[in-house]
Amino acid sequence: MDEAKKTMLSGIQPSGDLHLGNYLGAIKNWADRAENYDCYYFMADLHTITVRQNPADLRRRTLEQLAQYIACGLDPERNTLFIQSHVHEHAELGWVLNCYTMFGELSRMTQFKDKSAAHKDNINGGLFTYPSLMAADILLYQPDYVPVGEDQKQHVELCRNIVQRFNGIYGDVFKMPEPFIPKTGARIMCLTEPETKMSKSIPEGCVFLMEKPEDIQRKFKRAITDSDTENCVHFDPVNKPGVSNLMNIYSAVTGKSIESIEAEFAGLGYGAFKPKVGEAVVECLRPIREEAGRILADKAYLEAVYKSGAERASYVAQKTLRKVYKKVGFVAR
Ligand code: TYM
């Protein structure tokens, strides 16, 4: 590990296929960082079982996700890519941090409230203490930055509270991490219900990275806009949430500013705008889809990547865990 470099870390749950929100809110900002940062990115499989999973699907999606990380530009030689459950220190530090996280703090987490409302028959302890495990994921690697979408900011803030509490008792054990949230793409909304964030739970409003171009185009053509006929392509998230979301997506995939997008489509209607956004997304995702397909076919390569990733991650994670165990008073092995 290069001591002078700062560290970045993030993860995604392989609970569904990766979608445009995951890409624009998170992964896109992970690529191209390896030059300047030590980067750790993982498949957060321990987190997924807070909601029931089909075991065969979970295994398949975890490997697909790894192939897609690589296809999105994360070179495994320069980024540590690993599967969370392969590094047992995550579960161990997660337990310790549970004891430094307050019931009240966990009760305030939006994701817990949303998921317990969605899965009333399975409001388990793991769902509740999920943020302590996420804090452990982060703190094991002492990162400077945690690149995530807007919806994960609350969890990173809670992690910061834990750092303050723990360091307050034991001295400087953990580095204080900062959430790193992109300017465009931090909150991609559902195409059919633009008041809710894009997620796999509404598949018609969600664009998946591996989806066929014609299906992506169809989803954009059917995206909800509004009945405005005067000033169609105008950015106003409160009064025009659907259109503003499409503009955000277009901006994030093309790099164009919101003002230049308004100028580009001035006087044009949604019939011209929506297919243009669809086309830009298709072209942005095409190389990723093709590359991921190639990588996924090479199972031996994927195995080599996740094995060496787990080894590199374990080395760092062990060091932090040893320090923590010593601080809290466990007898050394
Ligand atoms: P997850 O798996 O729900 O989402 C993965 C990443 O994608 C971002 N994201 C979005 N960004 C913009 N618009 C959207 N519609 C959208 N939907 C998802 C999320 O903000 C996230 O960055 N708890 C985490 C996984 C995790 C983690 C960690 C992240 C576990 N341990 C440690 C960072 C560090 C989660 O459930 O993200």
Side-chain angles (χ1 to χ4, degrees), residues 9-13 19 21-22 24-26 30 42 44 47 84 111 115 130 133-134 137-138 146-152 155 185-189 197-199:
L9 166 134
S10 200
I12 298 183
Q13 296 190 58
H19 58 73
N22 299 137
L24 297 178
W30 305 353
F42 61 97
H47 284 274
Q84 185 189 25
Q111 185 168 308
K115 286 205 173 166
Y130 176 115
L133 178 59
M134 178 160 160
D137 299 337
I138 297 172
V146 183
V148 285
E150 184 72 44
D151 63 326
Q152 292 299 318
H155 290 156
R187 196 168 166 76
I188 300 297
M189 309 308 281
K197 71 169 182 180
M198 181 179 282
S199 85

